[in-house]
C-alpha cells in the first residue's frame, strides 16, 4: 500500500484536525510526523470541541491505530494532561496509540531556555509559543537530545541531568530575569515520564514498513503550515521542523516512492499567528470581522490570529513545494456577507510584477496585486451539498482551481465534522 499526506499550506491553523477526523475512517493508521505541543488540532463533533496537541487526530475512531513519529517532539507533562483530558470519552488510548522511540523529549529546561532566549531578543523576537520546541530541535540537530527510547535505559536520569545542567548554564548566559523552580518542574516531569511508560514504544520506521507490506493504509498528519517550514517558510519567522511533504519521509521513515496523494488544506482567506511578514494582512474592519466570525484565536496559545485576503502567490508556492494533488478549502462560511472579495494573484516586488514567492516578502519589498471578485450573502453553515452553494462561491472556487491547477475536492462550511461538503 501507499501513504497519503495531509498538510497545511499557509501559516498553520488551516483546520487539519477536522479533515483528518473526516478522513480517518478510510485509513488503518494515522501518524503525526513533526511538530510538538505548540500545534493544536481542533476537532468538533457531537457538540463538543476537542483540542489535540500531540496525539494524532484519528484517536476518536476506534478502528484506527495512531502513531507519534520520530519527527515529533514530546513534552511528557503536556502529553499526559492531554491523555487525561480524553479519558472521560472512554477512548482506549493505551491500545491505540504508539510512540516512536526516536521521538525527542522536551525537558522543563527546554521551555525555560525558550523563554530566556525570546526575552533576550526583545523587539526582534520571532513569536515563539514558548513550549520549548525550538531548543528541543536544536538539541536534536546538535546531537545532544534525550529521546523516548532513552526512558527505557538504565542511565536515563544521568542523561537527563547532563542536558538539564547544560541548559541552566545557557539560561544564565542570556542574562534575563527568569524566575523558576526547577525542582518543582522536574517533579512533575518525572511523574509524567512514569505515566508515559504505560504506552507502547515502537521502532516506528520498522512498524510503518511492515504495515505497508501488510497492505495497511496510512495517513500522515502534518502540524503547522508549509509557510512555517524551517527551510521553505518565511525564515526566521518559522517553526523548527520540516512541515512540508518531505517531513513525512524524515519524520516517519517513509520512502518517497510510497507517497501517493498529498492533500493540501487552506483557508478561504489567510491568517498568521505571531511575528513575520504577511503581504495580504488587513488591519482594518474587514480583518477584524474575519477574526471575529472565524473565531481566529490559537487553540493552544489563545493568541489572536492576524487575518487577510487569500494569497494565491504564497499558496501556489506551497502547492508546488509539496506536490499537492487535492485541495481542501476551509472556513468558506467566514467570508459570507462581504460585497466583494480580493484575491492576491501577484506581487509588486521591488517595482517589478512577479507571480512567485520571492526570497523576502517584508512590506518594504512586496506589495500585493489583487483581483476583485463578487462575494456572497448566503449562510453556508446548513448546506450539505455542492449544488446548494451560491454561484459566487462556486466562481471563487473555480478561480482558485484555475490559478493553482489543482482541484478543490472538499469545502468546509463550519467547524463540525458534518459541515463538510465533498465536491
Amino acid at each position: 500500500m501507499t501513504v497519503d499526506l495531509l498538510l497545511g499550506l499557509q501559516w498553520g491553523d488551516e483546520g487539519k484536525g477536522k479533515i483528518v477526523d473526516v478522513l480517518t475512517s478510510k485509513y488503518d493508521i494515522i501518524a503525526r510526523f513533526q511538530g510538538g505541543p505548540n500545534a493544536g488540532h481542533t476537532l468538533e463533533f457531537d457538540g463538543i470541541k476537542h483540542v489535540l496537541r500531540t496525539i494524532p487526530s484519528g484517536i476518536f475512531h476506534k478502528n484506527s491505530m495512531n502513531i507519534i513519529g520520530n519527527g515529533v517532539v514530546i513534552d511528557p507533562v503536556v502529553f499526559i494532561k492531554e491523555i487525561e483530558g480524553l479519558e472521560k470519552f472512554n477512548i482506549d488510548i493505551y491500545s491505540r496509540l504508539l510512540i516512536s522511540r526516536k521521538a525527542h523529549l522536551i525537558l522543563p529546561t527546554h521551555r525555560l531556555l525558550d523563554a530566556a532566549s525570546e526575552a533576550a531578543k526583545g523587539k526582534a523576537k520571532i513569536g515563539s509559543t514558548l513550549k520549548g520546541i525550538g531548543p528541543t530541535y536544536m538539541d536534536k540537530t546538535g546531537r545532544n537530545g534525550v529521546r523516548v527510547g532513552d526512558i527505557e535505559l538504565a542511565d536515563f536520569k544521568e542523561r537527563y541531568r547532563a542536558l538539564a545542567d547544560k541548559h541552566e548554564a545557557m539560561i544564565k548566559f542570556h542574562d534575563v530575569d527568569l524566575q523558576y523552580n526547577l525542582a518543582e518542574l522536574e517533579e512533575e516531569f518525572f511523574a509524567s515520564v512514569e505515566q508515559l511508560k504505560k504506552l507502547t514504544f515502537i521502532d516506528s520506521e520498522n512498524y510503518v514498513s511492515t504495515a505497508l507490506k501488510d497492505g495497511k493504509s496510512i495517513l500522515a498528519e502534518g502540524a503547522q503550515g508549509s509557510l512555517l517550514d524551517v527551510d521553505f517558510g518565511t525564515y526566521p519567522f518559522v517553526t523548527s521542523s520540516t512541515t512540508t511533504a518531505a517531513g513525512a519521509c524524515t519524520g516517519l521513515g517513509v520512502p518517497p516512492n510510497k507517497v501517493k496523494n498529498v492533500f493540501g488544506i487552506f483557508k478561504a482567506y489567510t491568517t498568521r499567528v505571531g511575528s513575520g511578514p504577511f503581504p495580504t494582512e488587513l488591519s482594518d474592519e474587514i480583518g477584524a470581522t474575519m477574526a471575529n466570525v472565524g473565531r481566529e484565536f490559537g487553540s493552544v496559545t489563545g493568541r489572536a490570529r492576524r487575518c487577510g485576503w487569500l494569497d494565491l502567490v504564497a499558496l501556489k508556492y506551497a502547492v508546488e513545494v509539496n506536490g499537492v494533488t487535492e485541495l481542501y478549502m476551509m472556513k468558506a462560511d467566514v467570508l459570507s456577507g462581504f460585497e466583494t472579495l480580493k484575491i492576491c494573484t501577484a506581487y509588486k516586488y521591488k517595482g517589478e510584477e512577479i507571480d512567485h514567492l520571492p526570497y523576502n516578502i517584508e512590506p518594504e519589498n512586496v506589495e500585493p496585486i489583487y483581483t476583485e471578485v463578487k462575494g456572497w450573502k448566503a449562510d453556508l453553515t446548513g448546506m450539505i451539498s455542492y449544488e446548494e452553494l451560491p454561484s459566487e462561491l462556486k466562481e471563487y472556487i473555480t478561480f482558485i482551481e484555475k490559478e493553482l491547477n489543482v482541484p478543490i475536492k472538499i469545502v468546509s462550511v463550519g467547524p463540525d465534522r458534518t459541515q463538510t461538503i465533498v465536491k
Side-chain angles (χ1 to χ4, degrees):
M1 289 291 286
T2 54
V3 180
D4 291 339
L5 311 184
L6 183 118
L7 307 162
L9 299 181
Q10 295 161 310
W11 281 289
D13 311 308
E14 298 93 351
K16 295 175 290 296
K18 171 184 171 174
I19 295 300
V20 174
D21 179 56
V22 168
L23 296 177
T24 293
S25 60
K26 301 177 182 178
Y27 296 90
D28 300 305
I29 297 169
I30 309 297
R32 272 283 300 271
F33 62 84
Q34 51 75 221
N38 56 335
H41 285 182
T42 303
L43 302 85
E44 200 163 318
F45 51 88
D46 301 332
I48 302 171
K49 180 179 177 180
H50 306 273
V51 178
L52 299 175
R53 298 189 181 193
T54 311
I55 297 173
S57 302
I59 199 67
F60 293 102
H61 292 257
K62 54 186 174 185
N63 295 323
S64 69
M65 188 61 75
N66 294 265
I67 299 174
I68 297 172
N70 59 277
V72 179
V73 291
I74 300 172
D75 184 328
V77 175
V78 175
F79 189 72
I80 295 304
K81 287 179 180 175
E82 190 175 341
I83 288 177
E84 290 171 350
L86 293 173
E87 285 176 350
K88 60 186 174 184
F89 300 107
N90 297 316
I91 299 169
D92 189 8
I93 294 170
Y94 291 93
S95 68
R96 287 171 31 214
L97 181 61
L98 309 172
I99 305 177
S100 171
R101 289 187 173 91
K102 292 187 172 73
H104 280 246
L105 293 175
I106 301 172
L107 312 189
T109 46
H110 278 129
R111 285 186 279 129
L112 296 172
L113 189 56
D114 204 353
S117 174
E118 192 77 341
K121 289 173 183 171
K123 291 182 179 179
K125 65 183 180 179
I126 61 171
S128 169
T129 58
L130 306 181
K131 305 294 182 186
I133 309 297
T136 305
Y137 277 113
M138 286 174 67
D139 277 332
K140 176 179 178 175
T141 56
R143 295 163 291 179
N144 297 307
V146 175
R147 301 187 290 178
V148 168
D150 294 333
I151 293 173
E152 300 173 314
L153 303 180
D155 65 345
F156 171 64
K157 288 198 174 180
E158 287 79 3
R159 289 171 182 248
Y160 169 88
R161 185 81 273 143
L163 186 54
D165 288 347
K166 178 183 176 182
H167 289 163
E168 285 212 273
M170 294 169 69
I171 290 167
K172 290 175 184 174
F173 171 78
H174 283 296
D175 194 27
V176 294
D177 184 23
L178 189 68
Q179 302 294 320
Y180 62 91
N181 184 333
L182 185 55
E184 191 176 287
L185 294 173
E186 287 180 338
E187 183 179 352
E188 188 178 24
F189 174 81
F190 285 112
S192 298
V193 166
E194 287 303 309
Q195 290 293 107
L196 200 63
K197 289 179 182 178
K198 295 179 181 179
L199 286 147
T200 302
F201 302 159
I202 60 170
D203 299 320
S204 54
E205 61 278 19
N206 176 258
Y207 184 95
V208 169
S209 178
T210 301
L212 289 172
K213 289 174 185 174
D214 290 343
K216 302 286 187 182
S217 55
I218 300 174
L219 180 65
E221 174 188 15
Q224 293 126 336
S226 298
L227 299 179
L228 292 173
D229 185 89
V230 68
D231 282 294
F232 298 105
T234 48
Y235 191 90
F237 303 99
V238 295
T239 193
S240 300
S241 61
T242 301
T243 61
T244 50
C249 298
T250 58
L252 282 176
V254 173
N257 64 348
K258 294 296 183 183
V259 176
K260 185 180 181 183
N261 296 304
V262 181
F263 308 133
I265 304 182
F266 70 101
K267 285 179 181 171
Y269 50 103
T270 311
T271 64
R272 177 162 202 168
V273 173
S275 307
F278 184 176
T280 63
E281 182 174 9
L282 294 167
S283 302
D284 56 12
E285 189 178 330
I286 294 175
T289 299
M290 285 180 184
N292 184 50
V293 176
R295 295 185 289 178
E296 295 295 355
F297 297 92
S299 55
V300 169
T301 64
R303 293 187 298 178
R305 299 181 187 130
R306 301 149 62 192
C307 297
W309 297 118
L310 183 63
D311 186 339
L312 284 187
V313 179
L315 195 55
K316 185 189 296 181
Y317 170 79
V319 165
E320 290 172 348
V321 166
N322 289 299
V324 173
T325 57
E326 291 183 15
L327 288 165
Y328 300 159
M329 187 169 82
M330 312 300 289
K331 292 196 167 184
D333 53 298
V334 175
L335 293 184
S336 293
F338 292 106
E339 288 288 342
T340 58
L341 303 173
K342 291 184 179 181
I343 306 174
C344 173
T345 52
Y347 292 156
K348 188 174 182 180
Y349 179 68
K350 295 183 178 179
E352 178 187 353
E353 184 173 328
I354 62 171
D355 62 359
H356 69 275
L357 198 74
Y359 177 75
N360 183 292
I361 59 168
E362 294 289 350
E364 63 268 22
N365 292 322
V366 164
E367 179 185 337
I369 297 173
Y370 291 110
T371 296
E372 287 198 11
V373 297
K374 193 176 180 183
W376 56 89
K377 297 284 188 181
D379 178 2
L380 310 180
T381 56
M383 297 182 181
I384 58 174
S385 70
Y386 189 78
E387 288 69 33
E388 288 181 82
L389 298 179
S391 59
E392 295 87 356
L393 172 54
K394 291 177 183 175
E395 288 169 12
Y396 189 74
I397 291 168
T398 300
F399 183 91
I400 296 168
E401 287 179 322
K402 286 181 178 177
E403 288 288 316
L404 300 180
N405 199 29
V406 180
I408 293 174
K409 294 286 191 177
I410 284 178
V411 180
S412 177
V413 293
D416 195 274
R417 63 160 63 139
T418 62
Q419 295 173 300
T420 308
I421 293 174
V422 178
K423 178 170 172 281

